[in-house]
Amino acid sequence: MKNIVVELLSQRGLEHIYSESNFKSYSKKILSKNPGANRYYVALGIFDMFIANA
């Protein structure tokens, strides 16, 4: 999932906003609501959170 998020950010030139601690926090937050979620949807949610909190 981390690879997907990093790839999405780098495609848009935003890899500088990536943070490992934020990734763990965002993934925990999203997966706590829906633990069986599709990993691509979770990655998109994490990507959105990086954009929204940048």
Side-chain angles (χ1 to χ4, degrees):
M1 216 171 6
K2 181 170 51 170
N3 294 336
I4 297 168
V5 173
V6 171
E7 178 65 28
L8 288 170
L9 289 170
S10 65
Q11 286 176 356
R12 287 151 183 88
L14 299 171
E15 61 272 354
H16 63 279
I17 64 172
Y18 177 81
S19 162
E20 186 70 30
S21 62
N22 284 346
F23 175 81
K24 289 179 182 180
S25 168
Y26 299 157
S27 62
K28 183 177 178 181
K29 185 177 204 176
I30 291 173
L31 289 173
S32 69
K33 295 179 184 177
N34 190 358
N38 182 312
R39 68 183 184 132
Y40 295 107
Y41 289 128
V42 173
L44 284 173
I46 295 169
F47 170 73
D48 288 342
M49 291 181 85
F50 271 111
I51 298 285
N53 295 319

